[in-house]
């Protein structure tokens, strides 16, 4: 196993992370203690920090075999500095200590050792002393070396320690030593560390979760072949050794309590207190000090820093001991579904009668968990029910296994989906059941399906030529082609073929779903048949239940929202939400809540939008769903209605999650949200990068319809703000052309708003003001968009020095935002009004003109003709005429007489 030196040596940014909490200038700090669990990189961090001092490094590195041998550490010090006379004397004294008849503690020899060690440290050349792995430094050396370091306060020293609580008191190396907890690596740093293994983003996220960012543990897991999409294997020996060392840093009682936590699917402090009594808090504090569990965040949950810790604790248990602990947990657990889970796992599966009863109880508990939206728990329980069903009950076993595959699919639990699929394929021969299991496995795989072609081919083989089953497989292939392969044209063709086969087999449910998928892709691609295809899907009866968020009605509501028909969207979405809630489909419920939040936001009902978005985010987080969709909606809604800082946090979380999951759809959306929020916060330079990435992603995904994700106007505005008007012009022209050709008039007002800003930047203030006024008039049913347009009008009028018009527009915008509780936009409008008020007194007799305009205006005010001005400024007469036109527009003047009153003439 590679040690963590690989991490530090190879990753400059990781080096910086580990030491970022140590002072940049160590001149005033002589002693540092680096602490953290085994494998976290203390040794490498100490070496890097020592090198930063510029001194030669004197390193003591005791091992576990040295801990019980007195004065081993001092002997290493003496041998390292052997050229020094004092060091040789120290070595001789240590020889005497080793051959003496009694312990030297408290004797004259011990005092001599202290004196000699202090002399060695004082006479040593300028070095940085590094004492690595001080948990293995023998007790005698620790006492002597600690005393000697107090006598040599100018000697800089670094110690590394596995567990240390700075709050409990000073370290032996120095009472005032500077403590540095070596931090775990971020997901991005783990990706860099594991780059030789070429893991995909999902594998990186998985390895980060399993290792907790511990570099040595991540390397051990990666080198053992842990890859995305595979069942979690038995922990490799190198990882188990490291985890064993880590767990040995705490007491047996702590390990026992953590084992109970590992056996529960959602352990909390209340449960563990019922099991361990008053000692639970103290034991958990020890586990937290050893970095085995995360510090509590107020919700009472107990979470392992690395999930592999829990795996190791459970792996150590013999079967009988494991069942006994599950029995204890069943007695202590108050939640019925979790109590049933522990009861099932505590049962002896060797008794057929007991197995049958526990299978029935597990199936019932899975149903309860499913109705509560706890799909991970439902997946575990339904698989337990299938596995404990006697093999002779083939029909019941298949039914329960199929339920387990579907539950696992719902929460993306690929290992359990695979296990349940194997049960179906081993015990059922009917094509429908076998295909159903394979389809659910495909659904569970999401975007991380390996050997997709082989699995789809196997599913096609299992159909035995049945068109209805083939249609279901083709529909999954269409989804795969669109989301994973970025081939929407191919996806549309597959969906069309699936719809034809389903209709031929009189399977109107699958036909409706396939047509819905086809219409979704056609809309993205800008095909004119999208509306007709969706109408066909809506006209077909459905004879089997389907996820509400996959229905044509939901897509019709989304299209209404794209087309700025929010009232129609709301009318469709509300009954769909009720339906999703009644079926207990958490993912569908989250999607419906998100759609309603975006709908209410579009109509300016900010309070309702916030409520829907909060429900969606909470439900998504509690169910462990992929956070990209909920984060996108929360970012948009909170950024408009509540606070920009929390909205930015949501957007960045959504971006990170989408990158980890390789979900390009919600990567685009969260990047757009980030860029939109930064632009609204008047940070256009920062907004430019995410918005440009959105454009690149949308182009790769062949998204042509500009109404689906409206990033175009924001990107053009950002380009304009950073001084790239020609690029902004091209983007606006292209987008306007496409929107007009597709009939997407809902996009045009935002494009006109940015076009007006471009006009104003070029000095065409009247044209800009007229554009903005017309756009605002078209947005009377969309108050927040109207307010944003009025705010742009105020900025334009201000640039044109028409302060009355600027104030009027800003006040209207402020009134709109206030009426609709769009608090960040209220702040923006209020700021605009404040700038107008404070700058009016500074405007003086004439507004700010450019240097050339100022010289031209003064000459004209003095009575010079255009030809005279041209001669004086060495420009053409036409240039003078154009300059005077701009001056009149800026100053809201109409003649030279007015100019003479407004401008002090040039005395020349």
């Amino acid at each position: 196993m590679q040690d963590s030196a690989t991490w530090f040596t190879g990753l400059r940014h990781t080096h910086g992370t580990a030491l970022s909490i140590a002072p940049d200038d160590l001149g005033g700090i002589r002693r540092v203690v680096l602490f953290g669990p085994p494998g976290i990189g203390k040794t490498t961090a100490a070496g890097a920090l020592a090198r930063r001092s510029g001194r030669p490094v004197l390193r003591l590195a005791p091992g576990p075999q040295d801990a019980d041998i007195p004065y081993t550490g001092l002997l290493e010090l003496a041998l390292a500095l052997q050229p020094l006379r004092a060091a040789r004397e120290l070595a001789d004294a240590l020889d005497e200590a080793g051959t003496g008849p009694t312990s030297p503690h408290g004797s004259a020899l011990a005092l001599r050792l202290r004196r000699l060690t202090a002399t060695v440290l004082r006479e040593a050349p300028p070095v940085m002393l590094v004492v690595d792995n001080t948990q293995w430094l023998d007790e005698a050396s620790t006492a002597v070396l600690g005393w000697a370091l107090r006598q040599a306060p100018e000697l800089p020293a670094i110690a590394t320690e596995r567990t240390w609580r700075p709050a409990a008191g000073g370290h032996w190396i120095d009472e005032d030593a500077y403590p540095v907890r070596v931090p775990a690596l971020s997901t991005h740093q783990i990706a860099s560390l594991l780059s030789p293994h070429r893991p995909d983003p999902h594998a990186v996220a998985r390895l980060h979760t399993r290792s907790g960012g511990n570099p040595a543990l991540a390397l051990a897991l990666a080198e053992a072949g842990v890859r995305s999409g595979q069942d979690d294997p038995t922990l490799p020996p190198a990882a188990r050794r490291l985890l064993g060392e880590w767990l040995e840093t705490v007491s047996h009682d702590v390990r026992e309590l953590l084992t109970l936590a590992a056996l529960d699917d959602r352990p909390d402090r209340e449960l563990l207190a019922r099991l361990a009594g008053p000692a639970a808090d103290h034991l958990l504090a020890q586990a937290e000090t050893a970095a085995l569990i995360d510090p509590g965040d107020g919700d009472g949950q107990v979470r392992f820093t690395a999930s592999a810790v829990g795996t190791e604790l459970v792996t150590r248990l013999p079967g009988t001991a494991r069942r006994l602990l599950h029995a204890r947990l069943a007695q202590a657990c108050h939640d019925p579904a979790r109590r049933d889970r522990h009861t099932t796992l505590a049962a002896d599966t060797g008794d057929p009668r007991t197995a049958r009863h526990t299978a029935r109880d597990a199936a019932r508990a899975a149903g309860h968990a499913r109705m509560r939206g706890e799909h991970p728990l439902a997946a575990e329980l339904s698989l337990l029910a299938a596995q404990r069903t006697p093999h002779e009950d083939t029909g019941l076993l298949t039914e329960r296994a199929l339920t387990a595959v579907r539950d696992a699919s719902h929460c993306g639990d690929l290992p359990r989906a695979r296990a349940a699929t194997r049960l179906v394929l081993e015990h059922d021969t009917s094509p429908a059941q076998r295909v159903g299991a394979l389809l659910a496995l495909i659904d569970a795989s999401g975007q991380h399906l390996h050997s997709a072609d082989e699995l789809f081919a196997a599913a096609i083989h299992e159909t035995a030529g049945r068109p209805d089953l083939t249609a279901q497989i083709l529909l999954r292939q269409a989804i795969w082609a669109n989301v994973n392969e970025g081939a929407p044209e191919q996806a549309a063709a597959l969906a069309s073929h699936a719809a034809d086969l389903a209709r031929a087999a009189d399977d109107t449910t699958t036909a409706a779903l396939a047509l819905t998928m086809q219409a979704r892709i056609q809309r993205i691609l800008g095909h004119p048949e999208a509306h007709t295809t969706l109408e066909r899907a809506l006209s077909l009866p459905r004879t089997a239940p389907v996820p509400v968020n996959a229905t044509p009605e939901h897509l019709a509501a989304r299209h209404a929202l794209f087309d700025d028909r929010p009232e129609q969207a709301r009318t469709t979405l509300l009954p769909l939400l009720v339906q999703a809630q009644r079926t207990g489909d958490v993912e569908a419920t989250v999607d419906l809540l998100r759609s309603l939040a975006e709908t209410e936001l579009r109509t300016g009902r900010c309070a309702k939008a916030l409520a829907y978005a909060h429900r969606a985010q909470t439900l998504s987080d509690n169910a462990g769903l992929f956070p990209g969709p909920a984060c996108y909606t929360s970012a948009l809604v909170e950024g408009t209605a509540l606070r920009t800082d929390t909205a930015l946090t949501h957007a960045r979380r959504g971006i990170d999650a989408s990158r980890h999951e390789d979900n390009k759809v919600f990567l685009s959306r969260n990047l757009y949200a980030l860029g939109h929020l930064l632009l609204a916060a008047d940070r256009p330079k920062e907004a430019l990068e995410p918005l440009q990435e959105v454009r690149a992603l949308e182009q790769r995904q062949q998204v042509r319809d500009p109404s689906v994700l409206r990033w175009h106007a924001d990107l053009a505005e950002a380009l304009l703000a950073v001084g790239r008007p020609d690029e902004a012009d091209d983007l606006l022209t292209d987008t306007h052309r496409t929107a007009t050709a597709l009939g997407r008039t809902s996009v045009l007002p935002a494009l006109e708003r940015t076009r007006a800003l471009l006009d104003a930047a070029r000095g065409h203030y009247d044209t800009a003001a007229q554009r903005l006024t017309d756009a605002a008039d078209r947005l009377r049913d969309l108050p927040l968009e109207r307010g944003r347009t009025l705010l742009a009008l105020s900025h334009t009028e201000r640039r044109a020095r028409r302060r009355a018009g600027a104030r009027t527009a800003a006040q209207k915008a402020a009134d709109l935002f206030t009426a609709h509780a769009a608090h960040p936009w209220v702040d923006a409008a209020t700021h605009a009004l404040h700038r107008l008020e404070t700058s009016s007194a500074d405007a003086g007799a004439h507004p700010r003109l450019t240097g050339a305009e100022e010289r031209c205006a003064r000459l004209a005010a003095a009575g010079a003709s255009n030809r005279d001005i041209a001669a004086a400024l060495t420009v053409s007469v036409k240039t003078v005429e154009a300059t005077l036109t701009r001056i009149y527009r800026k100053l809201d003047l109409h003649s030279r007489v007015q100019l003479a009153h407004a401008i002090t003439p040039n005395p020349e």
Side-chain angles (χ1 to χ4, degrees):
M1 181 185 73
Q2 289 178 269
D3 71 17
S4 56
T6 306
W7 151 59
F8 231 99
T9 303
L11 298 178
R12 185 174 61 188
H13 61 273
T14 303
H15 171 141
T17 298
L19 301 183
S20 61
I21 51 178
D24 290 333
D25 180 10
L26 291 175
I29 295 176
R30 314 299 293 176
R31 309 282 164 81
V32 176
V33 178
L34 300 172
F35 62 101
I40 201 66
K42 301 181 295 296
T43 297
T44 317
L49 186 58
R51 288 191 296 275
R52 205 168 84 184
S53 71
R55 292 182 172 219
V57 176
L58 173 59
R59 182 171 178 265
L60 306 183
Q65 69 278 5
D66 304 321
D68 297 326
I69 304 176
Y71 297 123
T72 306
L74 286 186
L75 181 59
E76 185 178 5
L77 174 67
L79 294 176
L81 295 172
Q82 209 165 18
L84 294 178
R85 178 180 176 183
R88 293 194 296 273
E89 291 179 6
L90 175 60
D92 292 340
L94 290 170
D95 288 340
E96 293 179 31
T99 58
T102 59
S103 169
H105 285 296
S107 67
L109 182 57
L111 294 175
R112 182 184 174 202
L113 291 176
R114 293 191 177 208
R115 177 178 58 77
L116 288 171
T117 304
T119 302
V120 167
L121 295 182
R122 283 196 300 267
E123 293 182 359
V127 295
M128 169 67 80
L129 176 65
V130 175
V131 187
D132 202 7
N133 290 319
T134 59
Q135 71 275 1
W136 291 324
L137 185 64
D138 63 276
E139 185 178 350
S141 294
T142 300
V144 172
L145 191 57
W147 183 89
L149 282 168
R150 290 197 294 275
Q151 314 313 308
E154 295 304 312
L155 176 68
I158 300 169
T160 73
E161 187 84 65
R162 283 189 172 175
T163 57
W164 181 48
R165 299 186 69 177
H171 195 270
W172 64 262
I173 200 171
D174 195 302
E175 285 292 321
D176 298 318
Y178 188 87
V180 178
R181 179 186 289 277
V182 179
L185 302 191
S186 67
T187 306
H188 177 70
Q189 291 165 340
I190 286 289
S192 298
L193 172 68
L194 302 180
S195 57
H197 300 278
R198 301 183 181 279
D200 61 52
H202 183 63
V204 170
R206 246 172 109 245
L207 284 165
H208 186 265
T209 299
R210 297 194 77 203
S211 69
N214 184 303
L217 183 54
L219 284 166
L221 293 169
E223 288 169 359
V226 178
R227 293 293 183 268
S228 171
Q230 298 178 357
D231 294 355
D232 285 345
T234 303
L235 290 170
R240 294 201 65 185
R241 283 194 297 273
L242 178 60
L243 290 164
E245 290 181 25
W246 196 349
L247 288 165
E248 286 301 317
T249 61
V250 294
S251 68
H252 170 78
D253 290 343
V254 174
R255 293 195 296 272
E256 184 177 1
L257 187 62
L258 292 181
T259 301
L260 288 165
L263 290 170
D264 194 64
D265 71 310
R266 194 180 293 177
D268 57 44
R269 291 176 179 268
E270 184 180 344
L271 172 65
L272 297 180
R274 287 198 293 272
L275 289 161
D281 284 343
H282 175 66
L283 296 175
L284 290 173
Q286 292 182 50
E288 188 177 318
T289 299
L292 288 163
I293 61 173
D294 287 327
D297 59 4
D299 62 357
Q301 296 294 308
V302 174
R303 299 177 179 88
F304 290 105
T305 52
S307 66
V309 171
T311 304
E312 170 63 14
L313 287 165
V314 173
T315 302
R316 293 178 172 192
L317 286 174
T320 302
R322 190 181 304 184
R323 289 197 298 274
L324 289 173
L325 291 180
H326 276 299
R328 284 183 62 191
L329 284 158
Q331 292 177 348
C333 193
H334 290 173
D335 181 89
R338 287 182 167 76
R339 184 167 57 244
D340 287 341
R341 170 185 178 270
H342 288 300
T343 301
T344 301
L345 291 167
D348 184 357
T349 56
D351 179 5
R353 179 177 296 182
T354 302
R356 185 175 277 107
H357 286 313
T358 56
R360 180 196 61 204
D361 292 343
R364 184 187 69 248
H368 293 157
R370 196 177 303 117
M371 289 304 295
R372 293 192 324 198
E374 298 187 45
H375 291 283
L377 178 59
E380 181 184 9
L381 287 166
S382 56
L383 179 58
L384 286 170
Q387 290 170 332
R388 282 160 171 68
T389 301
H391 290 182
E392 56 268 22
D393 296 340
T394 304
L396 184 59
L397 188 154
T398 301
E399 177 187 338
R400 286 174 174 170
L402 281 170
T403 301
V405 181
R406 295 187 190 103
D407 283 335
S409 169
H410 209 90
C411 59
D413 189 339
L414 191 53
R416 288 196 172 94
R418 284 180 170 148
T421 299
R422 283 195 295 268
L423 285 174
V424 175
L425 298 179
E426 290 168 1
H427 294 92
D428 200 292
T429 58
S430 65
Q433 303 285 47
R434 296 171 73 83
V435 169
L438 288 169
L439 289 175
L441 177 59
I442 291 169
D443 292 341
S445 302
Q447 293 180 263
H448 314 295
L449 181 61
H450 291 257
S451 304
D453 292 340
E454 295 177 18
L455 189 51
F456 281 124
I460 290 288
H461 176 74
E462 295 291 350
T463 64
R466 286 179 49 175
D468 56 335
L469 298 178
T470 304
Q472 294 177 36
I473 296 167
L474 291 176
L475 177 55
R476 291 334 191 274
Q477 282 185 293
I479 297 170
W480 178 264
N482 182 51
V483 176
N484 292 67
E485 297 181 354
E489 293 282 4
Q490 179 189 355
L494 286 166
S496 177
H497 189 193
D500 292 341
L501 286 174
R503 282 199 303 271
D506 201 27
D507 180 359
T508 55
T509 301
T510 301
L513 294 178
L515 288 169
T516 301
M517 180 65 186
Q518 185 182 1
R520 185 189 309 274
I521 298 169
Q522 286 175 334
R523 173 78 187 225
I524 290 170
L525 293 171
H527 286 185
E529 303 88 357
H531 178 72
T532 303
T533 304
L534 183 55
E535 288 296 322
R536 288 167 58 200
L538 288 164
S539 69
L540 291 175
R542 295 193 292 276
T543 57
V546 298
V548 178
N549 55 338
T551 61
E553 288 81 8
H554 184 239
L555 183 61
R558 296 295 301 175
H559 286 187
L561 187 57
F562 296 159
D563 294 333
D564 281 348
R565 292 180 279 116
E567 297 297 341
Q568 181 180 336
R570 181 192 297 108
T571 301
T572 304
L573 290 169
L574 285 171
L576 293 178
L577 175 62
V578 174
Q579 185 180 343
Q581 291 172 324
R582 284 178 178 171
T583 59
D585 189 335
V586 177
E587 188 171 354
T589 301
V590 169
D591 276 351
L592 269 297
L593 289 169
R594 288 182 48 247
S595 294
L596 280 164
E598 293 170 32
T599 298
E600 299 295 2
L601 189 68
R602 200 76 182 143
T603 57
R605 298 183 179 97
C606 289
K608 286 189 174 182
L610 278 170
Y612 282 128
H614 178 71
R615 286 171 61 188
Q617 189 73 62
T618 302
L619 194 57
S620 176
D621 289 345
N622 289 344
L625 300 180
F626 164 56
C631 284
Y632 165 64
T633 302
S634 293
L636 284 185
V637 173
E638 291 196 20
T640 302
L642 195 60
R643 291 174 54 184
T644 301
D645 55 349
T646 58
L648 288 170
T649 300
H650 285 305
R652 291 182 174 120
R653 180 189 173 202
I655 290 167
D656 290 342
S658 299
R659 291 198 197 279
H660 295 162
E661 291 290 316
D662 198 24
N663 188 312
K664 295 180 179 60
V665 173
F666 278 97
L667 177 57
S668 291
R669 278 155 176 71
N670 281 286
L671 283 167
Y672 160 68
L674 178 63
H676 172 79
L677 291 166
L678 291 170
L679 188 65
D682 199 24
R683 295 155 65 182
K685 289 183 180 179
E686 296 174 67
L688 187 60
E689 183 178 348
L691 291 171
Q692 286 181 313
E693 188 174 353
V694 173
R695 173 164 62 179
L697 285 166
E698 296 280 285
Q699 287 173 344
R700 285 199 294 271
Q701 296 171 76
Q702 302 177 50
V703 179
R704 184 166 178 258
D705 191 324
S707 68
V708 176
L709 188 65
R710 304 184 187 186
W711 53 269
H712 313 75
D714 282 351
L715 176 56
E717 186 174 340
L719 287 168
L720 178 61
V722 299
R724 293 156 66 177
D726 293 342
E727 292 179 58
D729 195 344
D730 291 343
L731 176 58
L732 291 171
T733 300
D734 292 344
T735 308
H736 193 283
R737 184 186 304 115
T738 301
T740 303
L742 296 176
R744 304 294 183 242
T745 56
S746 60
V747 178
L748 300 180
L751 297 177
E752 286 294 288
R753 179 174 63 234
T754 307
R755 172 67 70 182
L757 296 176
L758 181 60
D759 289 336
R762 291 170 170 170
H764 307 314
Y765 298 110
D766 291 341
T767 302
Q770 190 59 54
R771 280 188 194 277
L772 291 166
T773 301
D774 293 344
D777 288 342
R778 292 199 298 273
L779 291 167
R780 292 190 179 278
D781 294 331
L782 302 174
L784 301 184
E785 284 298 305
R786 176 175 166 80
R788 187 178 174 188
T789 303
L790 288 169
L791 198 54
L793 176 59
S794 173
H795 295 327
T796 299
E797 292 289 83
R798 181 174 178 271
R799 289 188 67 179
R801 304 299 174 183
R802 298 194 285 256
R803 298 185 182 279
R807 275 192 293 271
T808 299
Q811 189 61 60
K812 287 181 179 179
D815 291 344
L816 269 175
F817 293 138
T818 301
H820 294 278
H823 299 297
W825 285 106
V826 171
D827 293 342
T830 303
H831 178 65
L833 285 168
H834 179 70
R835 286 180 65 189
L836 287 165
E837 291 167 2
T838 56
S839 62
S840 60
D842 299 332
H846 56 87
R848 215 176 301 129
L849 301 174
T850 67
E853 290 170 347
E854 184 80 25
R855 290 191 295 272
C856 182
R858 290 188 182 280
L859 288 168
S865 67
N866 289 358
R867 188 176 299 278
D868 293 336
I869 296 171
L873 299 179
T874 321
V875 296
S876 69
V877 174
K878 287 189 175 181
T879 299
V880 173
E881 292 171 351
T883 302
L884 286 171
T885 300
R886 287 199 306 275
I887 292 168
Y888 290 155
R889 184 185 297 120
K890 279 188 177 184
L891 304 184
D892 198 17
L893 304 175
H894 304 286
S895 68
R896 292 198 180 215
V897 174
Q898 291 178 324
L899 181 62
H901 286 91
I903 296 291
T904 302
N906 193 326
E908 297 178 3

